[in-house]
């Protein structure tokens, strides 16, 4: 029996409702069509949820439903010739090809899922924040804690979803994620860059968040909001410096450059290029059509670059803000988000990049369960994907649930390892089976500590970090461990232990520069206890509940 339209999101389907086939008394074809449109959209959105797409909902089937909705119900606008001319000056041919596409594809499904996940992160990470500045600082801290600074030696292109899922990223990938989280708050941002990529010199850049109160700067090289005092004795920077303050006091940025940061010198900022971090999918007519139907949904999937009938585009909004700093601001679009997303979806099956992606996703299939076919007597490993679900729970703010689930994964790994005989361990298939569980257990162990930081369980996090170092001295997270652990020890008032951990970070570590900044903070006289820095009126972070 054929499935009704909109119901083919997962394997199998229920028998049709007689009313859907025969209609109901008094129902018109127009009302039936409208209901079908609503049902298709509802089904598609359900399948696009971060904890469903790729886990229980099939991507291709979801895209089919989206396109059926777009054909029967959506209304796409044509981009005017004037706008196309302007876009040619601002974007690459690849951007425009994606922008002008009239059908949804798997990249679009991933894009919508990313927007939903980013909105969920924003809602939970900013609970209790009283204004946009507090929300912005909270989100910055979330990014650098949950996506640790890691170079990609394989140059593997990733979408925001994989960056969040894997929990690792370069400084510019962290900045891209930060910009998308701010976009869900309807806040604009950009990179301020000096030196072009073809100048032969390193590109210096700093992240700028455009708030009503001012343009605030963030340094992803040192993993800090740019402090307003170059000799700061504050450990946690709650009020970043503004662009106006930097122009008045050049030493604020120059002191960070002395530590090795790649933020621009204050004088160089006067001729900076302002680069917007966004995929062209944000500006597409198909996303605008879909966004217009998301009544009651709070996540944002359309953010026009150019002005449209719904309001000013990002280009005009940012230009209005930065004209107070530059008479003729140079605004363009960063190629990072577009290049990463396009190249990710161009990865060919069986290529080296495809294999590398499979290896990175492998631990998320854990725990694996062995099943034996009663007919052939052949055994195979069936993924439960509990690690995947646990990581999503953590990202969405269900920290207690994530900690509990991670604990079960760690126990499962111990049981499976201890159950293997010496003969079993010589089998290559068994070795691969155990590697999956061991990698998942290591990730789970580390992410328990990060979840405890998010819960403000600093003592427990310190114990978990110590246990990780004992169990996995050369583990998958050994580069990030001393930095996060050292920060936590200093937060607890254990300055000597914090200094020991931070000084252990080697010159080749990605955390060498951030550690250098923290050690400088600790050298200042009258360093404030981080636990005492928060305002008495600041509300605590809350955890996502089942009801929310």
């Amino acid at each position: 029996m054929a499935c009704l339209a909109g119901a083919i999101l997962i394997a199998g389907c229920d028998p049709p409702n007689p009313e859907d086939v025969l209609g109901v008394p008094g129902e018109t074809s127009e009302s039936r069509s409208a209901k079908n449109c609503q049902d298709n959209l509802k089904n598609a959105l359900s399948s696009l949820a971060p904890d469903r797409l790729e886990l229980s909902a099939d991507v291709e089937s979801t895209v089919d439903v989206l396109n059926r909705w777009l054909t029967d119900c959506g209304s796409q606008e044509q981009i005017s010739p004037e706008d196309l001319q302007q876009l040619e000056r601002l974007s690459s041919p690849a951007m425009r090809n994606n922008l002008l596409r009239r059908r949804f594809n798997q990249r679009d499904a991933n894009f919508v899922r990313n927007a939903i996940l980013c909105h969920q992160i924003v809602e939970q990470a900013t609970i209790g924040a009283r204004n946009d500045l507090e929300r912005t600082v909270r989100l910055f801290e979330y990014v650098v804690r949950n996506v640790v600074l890691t170079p990609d030696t394989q140059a593997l292109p990733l979408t925001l979803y994989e960056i969040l899922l894997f929990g690792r990223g370069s400084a510019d990938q962290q900045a891209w994620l930060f910009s998308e989280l701010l976009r869900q708050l309807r806040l604009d941002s950009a990179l301020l860059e000096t030196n072009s990529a073809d100048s032969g010199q390193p590109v210096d850049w700093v992240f700028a968040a455009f708030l009503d109160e001012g343009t605030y700067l963030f340094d992803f090289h040192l993993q800090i909001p740019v402090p307003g005092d170059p000799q700061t004795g504050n450990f946690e920077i709650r009020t970043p410096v503004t662009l106006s303050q930097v122009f008045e006091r050049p030493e604020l940025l120059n002191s960070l450059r002395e530590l090795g940061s790649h933020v621009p010198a204050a004088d160089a900022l006067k001729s900076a290029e302002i680069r917007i971090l966004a995929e062209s999918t944000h500006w597409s007519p198909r996303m605008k059509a879909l966004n217009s139907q998301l009544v009651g949904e709070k996540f944002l999937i359309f953010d026009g670059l150019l002005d449209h009938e719904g309001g000013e585009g990002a280009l005009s909004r940012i230009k209005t803000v930065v004209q107070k700093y530059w008479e003729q601001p140079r605004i363009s679009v960063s190629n990072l988000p577009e290049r990463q997303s396009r190249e990710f979806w161009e990865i060919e099956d069986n290529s080296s990049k495809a294999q590398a992606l499979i290896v990175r996703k492998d631990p998320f299939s854990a725990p694996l369960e062995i099943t034996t076919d009663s007919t052939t007597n052949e055994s195979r490993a069936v993924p439960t994907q509990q690690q995947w679900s646990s990581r999503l729970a953590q990202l969405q703010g269900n920290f207690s649930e994530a900690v509990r689930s991670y604990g079960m994964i760690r126990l499962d790994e111990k049981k499976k390892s201890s159950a293997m005989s010496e003969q079993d361990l010589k089998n290559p298939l068994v070795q691969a089976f155990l590697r999956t569980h061991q990698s998942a257990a290591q990730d789970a162990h580390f992410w328990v500590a990060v979840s405890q930081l998010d819960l403000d369980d600093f003592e427990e996090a310190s114990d978990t970090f110590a246990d990780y170092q004992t169990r996995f001295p050369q583990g998958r997270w050994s580069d990030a461990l001393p930095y996060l652990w050292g920060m936590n020890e200093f937060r607890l008032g254990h300055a000597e232990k914090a200094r020991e951990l931070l000084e252990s970070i080697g010159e080749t570590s990605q955390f060498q520069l951030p550690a250098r900044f923290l050690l400088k903070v600790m050298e200042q006289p009258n360093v404030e206890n981080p636990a005492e820095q928060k305002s008495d009126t600041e509300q605590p972070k809350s955890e996502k509940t089942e009801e929310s």
Side-chain angles (χ1 to χ4, degrees):
M1 183 178 294
C3 300
L4 291 175
I8 52 171
L9 299 183
I10 55 176
C13 56
D14 296 325
N17 187 321
E19 290 185 352
D20 293 331
V21 178
L22 303 174
V24 295
E27 185 181 40
T28 65
S29 59
E30 290 80 5
S31 63
R32 188 158 53 248
S33 176
K35 183 178 183 301
N36 287 339
C37 286
Q38 293 173 355
D39 289 345
N40 274 344
L41 185 58
K42 181 179 178 181
N43 286 334
L45 289 177
S46 174
S47 294
L48 289 166
D51 51 3
R52 287 205 61 205
L53 196 66
E54 289 190 79
L55 294 169
S56 63
D58 178 69
V59 180
E60 290 185 6
S61 297
T62 302
V63 172
D64 287 343
V65 175
L66 280 172
N67 280 321
R68 188 176 300 114
W69 171 85
L70 189 61
T71 299
D72 297 341
C73 318
S75 176
Q76 292 190 71
E77 300 172 359
Q78 295 286 344
I79 298 177
S80 70
E82 295 78 15
D83 283 353
L84 279 175
Q85 287 183 351
Q86 193 171 0
L87 286 168
E88 285 181 3
R89 297 193 297 270
L90 293 165
S91 59
S92 66
M95 284 184 178
R96 294 192 295 279
N97 287 339
N98 180 58
L99 177 65
L100 297 173
R101 188 162 34 81
R102 308 291 290 178
R103 301 280 288 174
F104 290 111
N105 63 9
Q106 291 189 25
R107 173 177 169 179
D108 292 326
N110 178 277
F111 177 86
V112 176
R113 172 179 60 180
N114 293 345
I116 296 172
L117 180 56
C118 284
H119 181 73
Q120 291 171 339
I121 289 170
V122 167
E123 281 197 320
Q124 296 307 312
T126 61
I127 289 176
R130 298 163 297 181
N131 52 51
D132 282 340
L133 178 56
E134 284 190 10
R135 283 184 276 273
T136 300
V137 172
R138 289 265 193 98
L139 291 174
F140 176 83
E141 292 172 344
Y142 178 95
V143 170
V144 298
R145 185 168 55 246
N146 285 278
V147 178
V148 299
L149 192 61
T150 310
D152 194 339
T153 56
Q154 296 174 302
L156 188 63
L158 301 173
T159 76
L160 285 177
Y161 184 76
E162 283 74 35
I163 292 169
L164 277 164
L165 188 68
F166 301 154
R168 305 169 185 266
S170 61
D172 50 6
Q173 287 175 329
Q174 289 178 325
W176 176 22
L177 172 59
F178 189 34
S179 72
E180 288 297 332
L181 296 176
L182 292 178
R183 184 171 282 111
Q184 292 300 321
L185 283 173
R186 281 53 173 177
L187 296 175
D188 291 313
S189 62
L191 301 184
L192 308 182
E193 290 186 0
T194 60
N195 301 331
S196 63
D198 54 5
S199 67
Q201 298 177 311
V203 176
D204 293 334
W205 59 272
V206 67
F207 188 99
F210 304 116
L211 278 58
D212 289 342
E213 302 88 345
T215 297
Y216 293 92
L217 304 182
F218 296 81
D219 183 358
F220 280 94
H221 311 290
L222 297 183
Q223 303 281 280
I224 56 169
V226 175
D229 182 354
Q231 303 299 323
T232 180
N234 291 338
F235 179 76
E236 294 177 328
I237 300 161
R238 315 311 303 176
T239 304
V241 73
T242 65
L243 191 56
S244 296
Q245 291 170 326
V246 162
F247 284 142
E248 293 170 0
R249 300 175 59 195
E251 70 273 13
L252 293 175
L253 286 185
N254 295 343
S255 65
L256 301 186
R257 289 177 62 83
E258 292 173 2
L259 289 172
S261 174
H262 293 290
V263 297
D267 289 342
L269 270 182
K270 296 175 181 177
S271 58
E273 182 94 7
I274 301 153
R275 296 197 181 275
I276 301 171
L277 287 162
E279 291 183 56
S280 58
T281 308
H282 270 299
W283 328 322
S284 66
R286 62 188 183 278
M287 283 299 161
K288 185 177 182 182
L290 181 58
N291 193 76
S292 67
Q293 298 301 309
L294 299 180
V295 179
E297 300 289 349
K298 297 180 181 179
F299 62 88
L300 180 70
I301 58 173
F302 174 77
D303 184 23
L305 180 66
L306 306 179
D307 296 346
H308 49 90
E309 74 281 358
E312 283 188 313
L315 189 65
S316 292
R317 298 194 306 265
I318 292 175
K319 186 175 182 179
T320 299
V321 173
V322 300
Q323 279 179 330
K324 69 180 73 171
Y325 309 111
W326 294 277
E327 289 185 7
Q328 294 182 324
R330 295 184 299 145
I331 307 175
S332 60
V333 178
S334 169
N335 66 359
L336 171 74
E338 188 71 21
R339 186 186 72 247
Q340 289 267 302
S341 294
R342 174 175 52 80
E343 291 181 359
F344 177 87
W345 292 104
E346 290 176 351
I347 293 176
E348 297 181 357
D349 293 343
N350 301 318
S351 66
S352 60
K353 289 184 177 179
Q355 294 303 314
L357 190 61
I358 290 172
V359 170
R360 292 197 192 185
K361 283 194 172 183
D362 180 62
F364 294 92
S365 64
L368 303 176
E369 300 297 342
I370 301 298
T371 62
T372 303
D373 189 295
S374 58
T375 304
T376 64
N377 205 33
E378 292 182 353
S379 298
R380 65 189 183 97
V382 178
T384 66
Q385 298 175 320
Q386 183 182 340
Q387 179 85 331
W388 198 328
S389 297
S390 303
R391 176 61 175 163
L392 287 175
Q394 178 191 356
L395 293 171
Q396 293 166 323
N398 289 320
F399 302 120
S400 295
E401 169 60 23
V403 168
R404 183 195 65 79
S405 186
Y406 285 144
M408 293 174 62
I409 290 167
R410 292 165 60 190
L411 287 173
D412 184 82
E413 185 271 330
K414 290 180 181 179
K415 290 179 181 179
K416 285 182 168 61
S417 296
S418 61
M420 298 297 174
S421 66
E422 290 187 14
Q423 186 64 31
D424 291 333
L425 295 176
K426 297 177 182 179
N427 186 327
L429 293 178
V430 172
Q431 292 171 3
F433 175 81
L434 291 179
R435 277 197 302 271
T436 296
H437 288 88
Q438 289 162 357
S439 296
Q442 272 202 52
D443 292 346
H445 199 134
F446 182 80
W447 286 332
V448 164
V450 176
S451 297
Q452 289 166 337
L453 292 179
D454 277 309
L455 287 168
D456 290 347
D457 292 337
F458 303 128
E459 294 282 0
E460 289 83 353
S462 185
D463 291 341
T464 306
F465 282 133
D467 190 38
Y468 182 94
Q469 186 182 59
T470 300
R471 292 173 181 269
F472 314 107
Q474 303 297 323
R476 291 156 59 87
W477 301 93
S478 57
D479 193 48
L481 180 75
Y483 178 72
L484 291 180
W485 187 8
M487 287 178 63
N488 193 52
E489 289 295 330
F490 188 52
R491 182 183 289 112
L492 290 169
H494 306 154
E496 195 170 319
K497 178 64 175 178
R499 186 177 290 105
E500 175 190 334
L501 287 163
L502 295 171
E503 288 178 345
S504 74
I505 296 175
E507 291 288 333
T508 60
S509 170
Q510 291 294 297
F511 291 93
Q512 207 279 327
L513 295 181
R516 190 181 298 172
F517 172 80
L518 295 184
L519 287 168
K520 180 183 177 182
V521 169
M522 296 174 67
E523 292 171 1
Q524 303 303 318
N526 303 318
V527 175
E528 297 180 25
N529 185 330
E532 298 174 355
Q533 287 180 34
K534 294 184 180 180
S535 167
D536 292 337
T537 59
E538 182 176 343
Q539 299 182 47
K541 291 179 286 186
S542 299
E543 181 178 0
K544 183 175 180 180
T545 63
E546 293 182 1
E547 288 75 19
S548 64

